[in-house]
Amino acid sequence: MQSVFHFAFNVTDLDEARRFYGGVLGCAEGRSTATWVDFDFFGHQISLHLGQPFKTERTGKVGDVLVPMPHFGLVLKLPDWQAMAERLRAAGTVFVLEPQVRYAGEPGEQWTMFFCDPFGNPMEVKGFRSLAGLYAS
C-alpha cells in the first residue's frame, strides 16, 4: 500500500505561514481559500487553517532532553537534513534543540533538530545515513 500523510493544524496568519512553509522550508503551495492553505510537505499534505494553534509543553523525554509534545516533522536522508539545517540557520531560526547527532554509533543513529514555526507549532526533523535505520533497535 502506498499512502500520503495528511495533517491539518492551526496558524494565525496565512501570509506568514506562506513565508515560512513556502519560503524557508521550500514547500510548494497547493490549494487555498481565505481561511486555509495546503502545502506539499516533502511528499505529504499539510493544511494550515486560521485558528488558535494547539498547546504544547516540553514533556517528551528523549534521552536526557525534554522535547515539545505534541510535535510533528519528517525524516530525511542525511545530506537533505544538513541542507535543511543550513537553510533554517540562514533564516535565523531559533532552535528548541540545536541540530545534533543522537544515538551516535548505536542502532538508530540519527541527526535531529527541533524548532517551531512562527505560530509555536513544534517540528522535529530527523536525518539518517540510510532510511533503513529509521526503525533500527
Side-chain angles (χ1 to χ4, degrees), residues 14-129:
L14 295 180
D15 289 332
E16 191 172 0
R18 286 179 167 102
R19 284 190 292 278
F20 182 76
Y21 286 93
V24 175
L25 296 184
C27 299
E29 185 174 329
R31 295 176 301 137
S32 66
T33 70
T35 61
W36 58 266
V37 60
D38 283 344
F39 284 97
D40 177 343
F41 188 70
F42 305 88
H44 302 279
Q45 182 191 46
I46 57 173
S47 296
L48 287 56
H49 292 253
L50 287 176
Q52 186 60 42
F54 51 79
K55 181 183 178 198
T56 64
E57 294 182 52
R58 290 180 75 160
T59 59
K61 189 167 172 95
V62 181
D64 60 354
V65 176
L66 290 175
V67 298
M69 293 297 293
H71 64 265
F72 75 102
L74 73 147
V75 177
L76 300 170
K77 290 183 179 175
L78 187 54
D80 296 326
W81 181 91
Q82 291 165 328
M84 169 81 68
E86 288 309 311
R87 207 165 51 244
L88 289 164
R89 282 187 178 116
T93 301
V94 176
F95 291 94
V96 174
L97 184 64
E98 289 285 334
Q100 60 188 268
V101 67
R102 181 165 54 194
Y103 311 124
E106 299 177 34
E109 177 180 85
Q110 60 191 257
W111 286 257
T112 185
M113 59 182 138
F114 275 85
F115 55 93
C116 293
D117 72 6
F119 317 99
N121 295 306
M123 281 179 260
E124 178 182 21
V125 179
K126 296 180 181 184
F128 286 83
R129 290 185 197 279

